Amino acid sequence: MEIDEENNENKGGMWDLEQKLDQPMDEEAGRLRNMYREKKFSTLLLLRLAYQSLGVVYGDLGTSPLYVYNNTFPHGIQDPEDVIGALSLIIYSLTLIPLLKYVFIVCRANDNGQGGTFALYSLLCRQAKINTIPNQHRTDEELTTYSRSTFHEHSFAAKTKRWLEAYPYRKNALLILVVVGTCMVIGDGILTPAISVLSASGGIKVDHPKMSNDVVVVVAVIILVGLFSLQHYGTDRVGWLFAPIVLLWFLLVGGIGIYNIWKYDSSVLRAFSPVYIYRYFKRGKRDGWTSLGGIMLSITGTEALFADLAHFPVSAIQLAFTVIVFPCLLLAYSGQAAYLMQNTDHVVDAFYRSIPESIYWPVFVIATLAAIVASQATISATFSIIKQALALGCFPRVKVVHTSKKFLGQIYIPDINWILMVLCIAVTAGFKNQSQIGNAYGTAVVIVMLVTTLLMTLIMLLVWHCHWVVVLIFTVLSLVVECTYFSAVLFKLDQGGWVPLVIAAAFLVIMYVWHYGTVKRYEFEMHSKVSMAWILGLGPSLGLVRVPGIGLVYTELASGVPHIFSHFITNLPAIHSVVVFVCVKYLPVYTVPEDERFLVKRIGPRNYHMFRCVARYGYKDLHKKDDDFEKKLFDNLFMFVRLDSMMDGCSDSDEYSLYGQQTQHSRDYNGNSSTANIELSYSSMDSIAPAKCHPQGNSTITSSGHESSQTEVDELEFLNSCRDAGVVHILGNTVIRARRESRIYKKLAIDYIYAFLRKICRENSVIFNVPHESLLNVGQIFYV
């Protein structure tokens, strides 16, 4: 599976400007930065961002009134007082989970604005050594985006860190927990469009009671096919419509709620007293307890709220929820309850039947549009979290297309899109009713919330350094509420609740086996890498004919010479004059700044002409077209040669040149780049020697300037001539097999499931957009 990520020069307007303002500047620039930040949090800007967040973040949560009461009372309402009890449960569920837990606590645990389970996992990976692929170098921790906190050696956080790092099975357990949460979010991407669109389409039947339910299902399927078919256009062109549609939806349901409370029964407001919850359970007993599966649907969309956090500050999310979303939802549910107090037999279509006749069809249209917006937000969140999983080695390589030139986060994954569409249509046409889909939806949502709670416990300890008593209170309260819902959902596993478990199990097997195979392949390459003594023993010619050109050898190793190289030179009589080992790796950060992306070092003496280049990406970064990547790689290689010419000798250690982490272009306070004389330092095994590099590429050294300059010019001319002779991309076509003595589950995972995934996924050559005429595949088999 391939990553085809289109060039994106404008990275998000205001937020890109904010990132630029975070770069080191002079005093004048700092003053302007402070002025900008004061403006950023001005009231008008905050209101505008809160308004825009409605369309992206709250669509899923906002469409819940379409189906909550129907799923809470699938067998009808036996006692009108049950409606008051159900409303009281809805009120306190909305208050405890979305408002207090997510909006005011969980949303603060974002990774530089990125939300979701993998963002939390990335935060934890930076605080403790729990990454299961050990490809990080200590220079990675010096990235400006690699924020991490320090704590006292004897603190509770330090003890927790040591406990996590002590045994590999704990790291694997944490990874499985994150993957389970991710699989349930993918399940949301299937179930949200199904239940939202089917519930909205059900409004047709209310006005035409004799209409067959099959017609409603057909209408819903047509809308779903249209929705998924238009995904490749992205939301950039129609995204500006989302906020007004959702705002109008909230105002309508809130206004209708006020009207129904006034017209039917204002006494429903007594549901704000929690005593009615106790009476509801006392009266309903087991049926009252199992009805919590329907109540649970009132807070669906809360997990999408956190996953779609990316483009908005937390303050805007909080403002939108407290001012618009929360009060309008309370009014909507209270209005429906007031209507049901007088019309208990209308619970199946409670939302549509409670609408005044004069505005029925306009509300129907807005409801359908709001359901589409909610579905779009969930599908986009699914694409986003799969890309994060892909970057962290937990998902097979898939084609990722960026659909917007303005916003980095808007992506489209064709393979996943069509899989979601087929499964979504199968769920809609297979169940045909909201109740069973609602049971499935509730199961997926409550499991995601449980995963988030467990990850938040670690975040509060390791990142926020909260006192263990505070952490215990948060964890216990969250688990009491969520485990209560989970126990109710378990009663409905045979009524549709099994669906997300089956979907999640399938994706869990795919993701974990892929990650397991990736880790095993990396471990084998680490153990079988070529020693430096062997390379030096071959001499400058490597025992072969050195032909003009540059060979880019792609490897997953960030240090050492990979086994693929020895395999290559023992089977072919020639090698290129210049060899560059290229490692593209993803780090547990949301992005790596362009001027910190590449690390370069020399391998062996200068006359060997061998280098290593590590290109580092965050899980939100796009891997640009090969031409651009190759150009930047050579620019950094030439810069390294200029710096290296200032130093005598060479280093065979794993120290990297740190020049890639220096600012190579100064920025004025307007954000413009300008070339200037810059002070750079070169890191070697023995010393750090400062030197000045001029923009023309001339170097100045006090001791042996003439000799160094001549060496630099000669090597740069040699590199340029080799580059003109041609660049060949050498990729390893690695096949891994389980050893004969391996256990049956390992053979099944490696020889069948992983091999099948490797066969159907995109090739490495397509990831880097390597042209076929300059591609050389080297095959080898690893037994793990």
Side-chain angles (χ1 to χ4, degrees):
M1 302 177 184
E2 138 195 53
I3 301 183
D4 179 24
E5 299 179 332
E6 297 178 358
N7 199 356
N8 183 354
E9 296 299 334
N10 186 344
K11 296 186 178 178
M14 188 188 74
W15 303 116
D16 187 44
L17 179 57
E18 182 187 359
Q19 289 175 356
K20 291 177 181 178
L21 290 171
D22 283 331
Q23 301 295 325
M25 302 179 192
D26 54 21
E27 293 182 3
E28 179 66 17
R31 185 179 63 83
L32 291 176
R33 177 182 60 190
N34 292 334
M35 289 173 59
Y36 173 79
R37 283 180 169 162
E38 287 175 10
K39 177 186 175 184
K40 186 184 79 170
F41 290 105
S42 67
T43 305
L44 287 177
L45 185 58
L46 194 62
L47 287 173
R48 181 168 65 85
L49 292 171
Y51 163 72
Q52 291 174 349
S53 72
L54 288 173
V56 177
V57 176
Y58 292 113
D60 190 5
L61 188 64
T63 53
S64 297
L66 286 169
Y67 44 78
V68 168
Y69 282 111
N70 177 27
N71 285 274
T72 304
F73 302 107
H75 307 297
I77 298 172
Q78 308 301 322
D79 186 339
E81 284 298 305
D82 288 345
V83 177
I84 303 297
L87 176 59
S88 187
L89 279 167
I90 291 171
I91 290 171
Y92 284 97
S93 296
L94 284 170
T95 303
L96 292 174
I97 302 296
L99 180 64
L100 296 181
K101 180 186 172 183
Y102 273 85
V103 173
F104 286 102
I105 298 177
V106 175
C107 282
R108 290 181 56 236
N110 60 83
D111 184 13
N112 288 278
Q114 309 300 322
T117 51
F118 265 106
L120 296 179
Y121 183 64
S122 297
L123 277 174
L124 293 173
C125 284
R126 298 206 296 271
Q127 301 300 323
K129 295 177 182 178
I130 56 175
N131 200 337
T132 51
I133 301 180
N135 65 345
Q136 291 189 37
H137 193 269
R138 58 179 172 275
T139 54
D140 297 335
E141 299 176 8
E142 298 171 13
L143 289 169
T144 54
T145 52
Y146 200 100
S147 58
R148 59 185 302 182
S149 54
T150 56
F151 32 77
H152 193 271
E153 185 180 355
H154 301 292
S155 64
F156 197 79
K159 293 177 182 177
T160 306
K161 178 177 179 291
R162 288 193 294 270
W163 181 83
L164 274 176
E165 296 173 347
Y167 297 101
Y169 77 87
R170 292 173 185 168
K171 301 176 185 179
N172 286 325
L174 183 61
L175 178 67
I176 291 173
L177 182 70
V178 173
V179 170
V180 167
T182 303
C183 293
M184 289 300 171
V185 171
I186 296 172
D188 281 352
I190 296 165
L191 297 169
T192 298
I195 193 169
S196 299
V197 173
L198 186 62
S199 300
S201 304
I204 303 174
K205 193 176 178 182
V206 174
D207 200 57
H208 300 81
K210 295 182 180 180
M211 182 181 292
S212 170
N213 191 54
D214 291 339
V215 176
V216 177
V217 173
V218 169
V219 172
V221 168
I222 291 172
I223 294 174
L224 289 171
V225 170
L227 175 65
F228 283 100
S229 299
L230 296 175
Q231 287 299 312
H232 67 280
Y233 291 109
T235 58
D236 199 24
R237 298 177 184 176
V238 295
W240 61 276
L241 283 172
F242 288 179
I245 287 173
V246 177
L247 177 62
L248 183 58
W249 166 253
F250 277 121
L251 295 177
L252 275 173
V253 296
I256 293 170
I258 294 172
Y259 171 80
N260 287 333
I261 292 170
W262 170 77
K263 181 178 179 181
Y264 294 104
D265 190 352
S266 60
S267 66
V268 294
L269 297 178
R270 68 184 188 271
F272 280 88
S273 170
V275 70
Y276 290 96
I277 297 176
Y278 167 75
R279 294 178 183 175
Y280 177 73
F281 286 132
K282 184 179 179 182
R283 190 168 48 248
K285 295 185 173 58
R286 187 178 184 275
D287 289 339
W289 190 264
T290 56
S291 71
L292 283 173
I295 302 292
M296 175 75 200
L297 298 181
S298 64
I299 55 176
T300 54
T302 307
E303 72 294 334
L305 177 156
F306 182 49
D308 288 327
L309 192 63
H311 293 296
F312 304 99
V314 174
S315 54
I317 300 286
Q318 293 172 342
L319 181 65
F321 189 84
T322 53
V323 174
I324 299 292
V325 179
F326 188 62
C328 286
L329 286 178
L330 292 184
L331 289 171
Y333 288 118
S334 299
Q336 286 188 50
Y339 176 82
L340 289 173
M341 292 290 286
Q342 305 293 330
N343 305 274
T344 54
D345 55 333
H346 289 172
V347 68
V348 176
D349 303 304
F351 175 78
Y352 281 113
R353 289 186 178 275
S354 66
I355 299 171
E357 287 187 14
S358 57
I359 60 169
Y360 179 84
W361 287 109
V363 173
F364 171 77
V365 172
I366 296 297
T368 305
L369 293 174
I372 292 172
V373 172
S375 304
Q376 178 61 56
T378 311
I379 294 168
S380 298
T382 305
F383 290 159
S384 178
I385 203 164
I386 285 177
K387 185 179 185 299
Q388 292 179 25
L390 178 72
L392 296 175
C394 294
F395 204 86
R397 295 184 295 272
V398 291
K399 181 179 180 180
V400 179
V401 180
H402 285 258
T403 58
S404 173
K405 293 182 179 180
K406 295 181 180 179
F407 299 105
L408 182 62
Q410 293 185 7
I411 59 174
Y412 166 65
I413 305 178
D415 303 330
I416 300 300
N417 182 67
W418 302 123
I419 291 172
L420 291 181
M421 187 186 79
V422 170
L423 292 175
C424 188
I425 291 174
V427 168
T428 306
F431 287 132
K432 296 184 180 180
N433 68 76
Q434 302 171 24
S435 182
Q436 288 183 316
I437 300 176
N439 295 337
Y441 195 17
T443 305
V445 170
V446 73
I447 293 176
V448 175
M449 289 182 176
L450 286 169
V451 169
T452 302
T453 297
L454 296 175
L455 292 176
M456 277 300 301
T457 301
L458 294 175
I459 292 289
M460 294 175 78
L461 287 171
L462 295 177
V463 182
W464 292 354
H465 303 163
C466 296
H467 194 278
W468 66 269
V469 175
V470 176
V471 178
L472 185 65
I473 292 171
F474 170 83
T475 306
V476 169
L477 289 178
S478 297
L479 289 179
V480 165
V481 175
E482 289 159 8
C483 288
T484 301
Y485 281 120
F486 185 62
S487 65
V489 163
L490 291 177
F491 285 108
K492 299 192 175 184
L493 285 180
D494 60 336
Q495 302 170 36
W498 56 270
V499 172
L501 298 180
V502 172
I503 295 172
F507 277 99
L508 178 63
V509 169
I510 291 171
M511 293 175 71
Y512 191 75
V513 168
W514 180 265
H515 182 75
Y516 178 76
T518 302
V519 170
K520 287 298 178 185
R521 193 178 65 204
Y522 184 85
E523 288 175 351
F524 186 90
E525 290 192 4
M526 278 292 292
H527 293 143
S528 61
K529 63 184 179 181
V530 180
S531 68
M532 201 66 231
W534 185 78
I535 295 289
L536 293 173
L538 295 175
S541 68
L542 300 178
L544 305 169
V545 178
R546 301 294 292 263
V547 298
I550 296 179
L552 300 181
V553 182
Y554 289 86
T555 173
E556 294 181 4
L557 296 181
S559 63
V561 177
H563 182 265
I564 180 181
F565 183 67
S566 64
H567 186 69
F568 178 81
I569 64 176
T570 52
N571 286 277
L572 289 176
I575 190 66
H576 299 89
S577 300
V578 178
V579 177
V580 182
F581 296 100
V582 181
C583 171
V584 177
K585 68 176 182 179
Y586 286 86
L587 300 176
V589 295
Y590 75 104
T591 186
V592 176
E594 285 285 343
D595 58 347
E596 300 178 44
R597 177 146 294 155
F598 291 91
L599 291 174
V600 183
K601 78 176 284 281
R602 188 186 295 279
I603 298 177
R606 183 177 283 110
N607 58 351
Y608 278 55
H609 301 299
M610 295 172 65
F611 304 90
R612 173 178 293 104
C613 180
V614 179
R616 304 174 296 179
Y617 291 85
Y619 56 80
K620 277 289 184 180
D621 284 331
L622 56 93
H623 187 79
K624 294 189 177 182
K625 293 294 185 182
D626 189 59
D627 290 342
D628 190 39
F629 174 78
E630 189 178 303
K631 178 181 179 298
K632 290 185 177 180
L633 187 151
F634 284 121
D635 287 345
N636 282 272
L637 178 61
F638 292 160
M639 175 66 79
F640 171 80
V641 169
R642 293 190 187 101
L643 294 172
D644 189 47
S645 66
M646 304 171 191
M647 306 297 297
D648 291 328
C650 64
S651 168
D652 294 334
S653 71
D654 284 337
E655 295 292 327
Y656 284 99
S657 162
L658 299 184
Y659 81 88
Q661 293 179 272
Q662 307 294 327
T663 306
Q664 296 181 18
H665 294 82
S666 65
R667 295 185 183 272
D668 59 24
Y669 53 78
N670 292 319
N672 301 318
S673 297
S674 59
T675 308
N677 294 348
I678 51 176
E679 188 94 10
L680 295 168
S681 64
Y682 166 76
S683 167
S684 73
M685 183 169 57
D686 301 318
S687 63
I688 296 178
K692 287 189 176 181
C693 290
H694 295 268
Q696 293 82 3
N698 298 326
S699 58
T700 305
I701 277 188
T702 55
S703 59
S704 56
H706 177 73
E707 183 181 347
S708 297
S709 298
Q710 186 62 41
T711 303
E712 171 197 333
V713 171
D714 290 346
E715 189 165 16
L716 286 176
E717 287 180 355
F718 179 74
L719 287 174
N720 274 313
S721 64
C722 289
R723 185 181 181 184
D724 293 338
V727 178
V728 175
H729 301 259
I730 304 169
L731 276 74
N733 189 11
T734 305
V735 177
I736 65 171
R737 292 278 186 268
R739 292 192 180 96
R740 287 185 178 181
E741 64 272 16
S742 299
R743 295 187 178 183
I744 185 68
Y745 67 85
K746 185 175 181 180
K747 289 182 178 179
L748 180 64
I750 296 294
D751 293 346
Y752 295 96
I753 302 176
Y754 184 76
F756 174 73
L757 293 174
R758 287 270 296 179
K759 187 177 293 186
I760 65 171
C761 76
R762 307 283 173 171
E763 294 291 337
N764 271 325
S765 59
V766 189
I767 293 180
F768 304 109
N769 298 295
V770 176
H772 289 288
E773 60 272 12
S774 62
L775 171 64
L776 183 61
N777 272 313
V778 180
Q780 55 183 343
I781 298 177
F782 288 162
Y783 287 92
V784 296

